[in-house]
Amino acid sequence: MATISVENAVVKGHHVYLSEVRIGDIFDCFPEVNNLHDPHAMIGMNAGNVVGHLPEGFAEHIHSLFAELKENITVLCEVTGNPEPSRRPWPFMWHRGGGIVIPCRYLVFCHRRDLHSVRLRLQLSLQYIPGGSLFN
């Protein structure tokens, strides 16, 4: 398996779910199949509790990777900071898409044969992660 790290990202919606998270916690991310508002929603879960959602446009790219690669992709989220009010470059707390966010990095695991295409897709998704970068 190959790993690509998406740095300087956030998990959105902490103000809704209020899950307890600590710096260094790692949790699973996967498609939220019953989301009525967004068919491409991706959710983060920690010990059976919803932590939040991946940012909208970024989630769409990750969701499509799950659809294409099925069981050949895993996405984890590692908490890198304490929950904080959303601010630039993200929407401000009181704007649509704002709120309380959790600073994180996303770890994307895939087969080496898929690495190039996954990396290209993630590169495109960085437009939805202001200040984000990829490492592998």
Side-chain angles (χ1 to χ4, degrees), residues 3-4 13 23 26 36 48-49 59 70 78 82-83 93-94 110 117 127 133:
T3 307
I4 302 172
I23 295 172
I26 297 176
L36 300 175
N49 298 310
K70 311 276 188 246
E78 180 181 2
N82 293 314
M93 189 169 139
W94 54 89
C110 64
S117 63
Q127 65 185 309
S133 56

Side-chain angles (χ1 to χ4, degrees), residues 96-114:
R96 182 181 186 284
I100 304 294
V101 298
I102 302 169
C104 70
R105 80 173 45 93
Y106 291 104
L107 304 168
V108 180
F109 299 89
C110 64
H111 284 289
R112 290 215 173 269
R113 70 174 179 263
D114 300 318

Side-chain angles (χ1 to χ4, degrees), residues 10 12 84-94 97-101:
V10 296
K12 303 184 102 180
E84 60 185 40
S86 182
R87 56 183 159 71
R88 290 195 194 281
W90 301 98
F92 285 114
M93 189 169 139
W94 54 89
I100 304 294
V101 298

Side-chain angles (χ1 to χ4, degrees), residues 6 10 19 29 36-37 45 47 49 61 119 122 136:
V6 180
V10 296
S19 292
C29 300
L36 300 175
H37 304 287
M45 298 282 292
N49 298 310
H61 284 271
R119 184 168 177 66
L122 290 173
N136 62 329

Side-chain angles (χ1 to χ4, degrees), residues 61-70 73 117-118 121-122:
H61 284 271
I62 299 297
H63 193 278
S64 67
L65 286 170
F66 268 85
E68 291 169 23
L69 300 177
K70 311 276 188 246
I73 187 165
S117 63
V118 170
R121 183 75 58 84
L122 290 173

